[in-house]
């Protein structure tokens, strides 16, 4: 516990305002002034008397809250850094690699904000890396190199206690630190919401362990840490038209190195609307294609596994990608996606050229194994730069690989496929699908106008007059 016996008391100050009078008790711990206002003089003197009594008894005062140890909850006896590590460790085995990484990202700026003093011996970037990559990584903490271990020991010594969350000033500082980037600009709204979720789970854990008495996260619209609003709707500017998609995929197909393999990957996203982590996980045995001579060339893709790329330091296996079930579904759940004739031809040619058999990954990297995300993103960026005009390249048009999925789902909805069916194929709920793509549905206005007209109109009053 961070405590001190260096206590000085000042005379209670009285401020007479227009509507009320405020009595403020003032005291000092190691040169830092503390204040607590009261509405009446007796209340202020009662609180000050309690502080004086504790000091005369030789009781230590907390540097985190300014109060005598006897006035504190269990939070004063637990350092934030130690509790944050305990929280990470109990969460590690029962959460995904991506969530582990998000937890570490969320706790790092908060931990730096809850230090008694900011680092001067170490570079800020080194402290952040030590916390994010080692302190809040259960698997790697014991493997921290000597220079990292020195930093973490310093952080542990200088960390405030959990009682800091019982002080409005410290809590506000920590929450603000989590809401801004290093340059002082606000983080993305999605990142702010994710950090708030992580902290909320941590505080619920603290309540369960009786370390805190209440959740310190501010509630209500008036809070200074309210997350900025953001839209979950797809930006229509990011969607590709047929000509643009054809040019981009055509350029990728013509690449001398790995072009056809990457073309198959991007085509599966454009035609089947699968997520990138689902496409790289498709097994050849789950590609149901009709016979080449059949009149009906529609096939099916059976999706049941995803390989999200999160980094080998966060996965249990040490692989860059983690093997998981489909997003938002049970671990052994599946979903079937239609494979239109154009994609059927592409997949059939790819399987034959690569000599693939059931049990093989449909999309393999050059050295086998999963197709690397860096290779996918690099190829897509190069294709955009080569195919799009300078103006188009600077716009959101197809900026992310994921925009191929957005384009596919939008095309399905605009073709009149019922939202429930599109949601099933896409692996979304209907409310999420409609909230995401509502502004992208187009081309049905004339039909809707005719439907409204067919419902009938009121008779024209002027028509009955002679």
């Amino acid at each position: 516990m961070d405590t001190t016996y260096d206590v000085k008391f000042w005379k209670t100050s009285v401020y007479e305002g227009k509507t009320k009078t405020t009595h403020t008790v003032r005291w000092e711990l190691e040169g830092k002034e503390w204040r607590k206002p009261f509405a009446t003089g007796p209340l202020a003197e009662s609180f000050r008397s309690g502080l004086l009594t504790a000091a005369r008894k030789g009781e230590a005062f907390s540097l985190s809250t300014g109060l005598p140890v006897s006035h504190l909850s269990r939070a004063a006896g637990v350092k934030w850094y130690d509790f944050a590590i305990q929280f990470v460790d109990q969460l590690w085995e029962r959460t995904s690699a991506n969530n582990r990484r998000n937890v570490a990202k969320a706790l790092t700026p908060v931990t730096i904000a809850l230090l008694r003093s900011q680092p001067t011996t170490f570079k800020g970037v080194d402290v952040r890396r030590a916390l994010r990559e080692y302190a809040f990584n259960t698997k790697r903490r014991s493997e921290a190199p000597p220079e990292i271990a020195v930093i973490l020991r310093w952080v542990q010594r200088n960390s405030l206690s959990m009682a800091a969350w019982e002080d409005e000033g410290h809590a506000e500082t920590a929450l603000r630190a989590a809401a801004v980037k290093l340059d002082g600009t606000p983080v993305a709204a999605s990142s702010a919401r994710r950090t708030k979720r992580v902290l909320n789970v941590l505080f619920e854990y603290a309540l369960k362990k009786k370390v805190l008495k209440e959740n310190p996260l501010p509630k209500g619209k008036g809070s200074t840490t309210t997350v900025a609003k953001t839209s979950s709707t797809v930006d229509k500017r990011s969607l590709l038209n047929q000509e643009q998609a054809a040019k981009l995929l055509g350029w990728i197909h013509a690449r001398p190195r790995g072009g056809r393999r990457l073309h198959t990957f991007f085509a599966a996203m454009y035609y089947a609307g699968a997520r990138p982590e689902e496409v790289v996980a498709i097994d050849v045995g789950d590609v149901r294609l009709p016979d080449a001579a059949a009149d009906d060339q529609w096939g099916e893709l059976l999706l049941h596994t995803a390989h999200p790329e999160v980094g080998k330091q966060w996965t249990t296996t040490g692989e860059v990608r983690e093997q998981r079930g489909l997003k938002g579904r049970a671990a052994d759940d599946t979903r079937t996606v239609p494979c239109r004739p154009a994609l059927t031809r592409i997949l059939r040619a790819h399987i034959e050229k690569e000599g693939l058999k059931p049990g093989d990954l449909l999309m393999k990297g050059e050295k086998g194994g999963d197709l690397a995300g860096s290779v996918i993103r690099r190829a897509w960026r190069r294709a955009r730069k080569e195919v799009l005009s300078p103006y188009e390249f600077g716009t959101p048009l197809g900026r992310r690989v994921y925009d191929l999925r957005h384009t596919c789902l939008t095309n399905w909805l605009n073709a009149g496929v019922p939202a429930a069916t599109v949601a099933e194929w896409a692996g979304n709920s209907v409310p999420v699908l409609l909230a995401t793509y509502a502004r992208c549905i187009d081309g049905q206005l004339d039909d809707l106008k005719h439907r409204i007209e067919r419902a009938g109109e009121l008779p024209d009053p002027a028509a009955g007059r002679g």
Side-chain angles (χ1 to χ4, degrees):
M1 186 188 302
D2 301 311
T3 59
T4 184
Y5 295 93
D6 182 6
V7 187
K8 294 180 181 179
F9 294 94
W10 307 102
K11 183 179 179 180
T12 300
S13 63
V14 180
Y15 172 75
E16 295 183 359
K18 291 184 178 181
T19 58
K20 65 177 181 179
T21 299
T22 303
H23 303 260
T24 303
V25 178
R26 300 182 300 143
W27 70 106
E28 188 178 283
L29 302 180
E30 292 189 356
K32 178 183 177 181
E33 185 177 350
W34 291 83
R35 293 168 170 258
K36 190 168 180 64
F38 292 90
T40 66
L43 286 175
E45 287 307 313
S46 175
F47 178 77
R48 186 173 186 274
S49 176
L51 298 182
L52 286 168
T53 300
R56 288 171 184 152
K57 290 181 179 180
E59 192 172 325
F61 279 62
S62 169
L63 291 171
S64 299
T65 65
L67 299 175
V69 172
S70 60
H71 291 204
L72 302 178
S73 64
R74 287 183 58 187
V78 181
K79 288 194 172 184
W80 158 259
Y81 175 79
D82 295 332
F83 188 82
I85 284 179
Q86 179 185 341
F87 170 72
V88 167
D89 289 350
Q90 62 86 31
L91 205 63
W92 187 267
E93 291 299 331
R94 55 191 179 88
T95 192
S96 69
N98 192 51
N99 191 60
R100 294 168 185 169
R101 183 179 61 179
N102 289 336
V103 168
K105 286 182 178 180
L107 298 183
T108 294
V110 174
T111 301
I112 293 175
L114 292 178
L115 292 172
R116 291 180 60 187
S117 61
Q118 292 304 298
T120 55
T121 308
F122 314 108
K123 294 181 180 179
V125 65
D126 293 334
V127 176
R128 290 190 296 274
R129 176 174 175 268
L131 290 170
R132 185 182 61 250
E133 302 294 332
Y134 290 95
F136 301 134
N137 187 310
T138 301
K139 185 175 71 171
R140 300 185 73 196
R141 192 180 307 126
S142 61
E143 304 171 358
E147 63 274 16
I148 296 295
V150 170
I151 294 175
L152 296 183
R153 285 196 294 270
W154 179 86
V155 171
Q156 199 278 338
R157 290 195 304 270
N158 285 275
S159 175
L160 295 176
S161 72
M162 288 290 288
W165 291 105
E166 298 176 338
D167 175 75
E168 289 185 6
H170 280 122
E172 178 97 0
T173 298
L175 292 174
R176 284 188 181 277
V180 296
K181 301 177 184 177
L182 295 177
D183 61 4
T185 59
V187 300
S190 57
S191 297
R193 286 198 305 273
R194 184 166 55 240
T195 296
K196 189 173 181 180
R197 285 196 298 268
V198 170
L199 290 176
N200 189 60
V201 174
L202 182 145
F203 292 137
E204 292 300 321
Y205 180 68
L207 293 175
K208 179 181 178 181
K209 293 295 181 180
K210 297 184 174 15
V211 173
L212 292 177
K213 294 181 179 179
E214 61 180 13
N215 190 327
L217 281 181
K219 300 176 178 62
K221 294 183 178 180
S223 113
T224 56
T225 55
T226 300
V227 176
K229 292 183 179 180
T230 183
S231 174
S232 60
T233 305
V234 169
D235 187 344
K236 292 182 71 171
R237 297 174 299 168
S238 68
L239 303 177
L240 299 160
N241 63 36
Q242 191 172 18
E243 181 182 356
Q244 291 161 343
K247 288 181 178 179
L248 287 166
L249 268 64
W251 186 91
I252 289 170
H253 186 273
R255 278 180 47 145
R257 182 176 177 181
R260 293 193 176 186
R261 182 183 298 111
L262 287 167
H263 174 265
T264 304
F265 172 87
F266 292 124
M269 288 195 64
Y270 178 76
Y271 284 123
R275 299 179 176 92
E277 62 268 26
E278 295 169 345
V279 177
V280 298
I282 295 176
D283 186 292
V284 174
D286 295 322
V287 179
R288 314 289 175 80
L289 302 181
D291 187 79
D295 293 333
D296 184 357
Q297 286 296 301
W298 279 85
E300 287 183 342
L301 300 179
L302 183 64
L303 305 180
H304 53 77
T305 307
H307 292 173
E309 188 177 56
V310 291
K312 60 184 179 181
Q313 68 269 39
W314 301 106
T315 61
T316 303
T317 61
E319 299 292 332
V320 174
R321 290 187 181 273
E322 180 183 40
Q323 183 169 327
R324 295 182 55 79
L326 300 178
K327 183 178 180 179
R329 301 202 177 200
D332 56 350
D333 203 356
T334 64
R335 82 172 190 269
T336 302
V337 182
C339 178
R340 60 187 298 167
L343 182 57
T344 294
R345 291 191 295 271
I346 293 171
L347 295 183
R348 182 183 291 118
H350 172 75
I351 292 172
E352 292 176 356
K353 183 178 182 300
E354 298 289 330
L356 301 177
K357 301 181 294 296
D360 294 338
L361 282 176
L362 180 65
M363 312 291 175
K364 288 185 178 181
E366 289 187 355
K367 299 180 180 179
D370 287 341
L371 191 58
S374 59
V375 173
I376 295 169
R377 292 187 293 271
R378 187 164 56 245
W380 187 250
R381 282 196 300 268
R382 183 67 184 277
R384 289 186 75 247
K385 188 173 183 179
E386 295 293 332
V387 171
L388 302 181
S389 69
Y391 170 76
E392 290 173 331
F393 183 77
T395 69
L397 178 64
R399 183 175 293 168
R400 302 182 307 157
V401 174
Y402 209 90
D403 290 329
L404 287 168
R405 168 177 161 88
H406 289 325
T407 298
C408 176
L409 270 55
T410 299
N411 289 342
W412 284 344
L413 289 169
N414 286 332
V417 180
T421 302
V422 175
E424 172 62 25
W425 292 347
N428 285 338
S429 67
V430 173
V432 167
L433 180 83
L434 294 178
T436 304
Y437 298 97
R439 296 179 185 174
C440 301
I441 301 175
D442 199 3
Q444 302 177 30
L445 183 57
D446 289 341
D447 179 59
L448 295 175
K449 288 178 180 177
H450 291 313
R451 292 187 186 186
I452 294 172
E453 289 177 348
R454 285 198 298 269
E457 298 177 354
L458 295 176
D460 185 356
R465 296 177 180 177

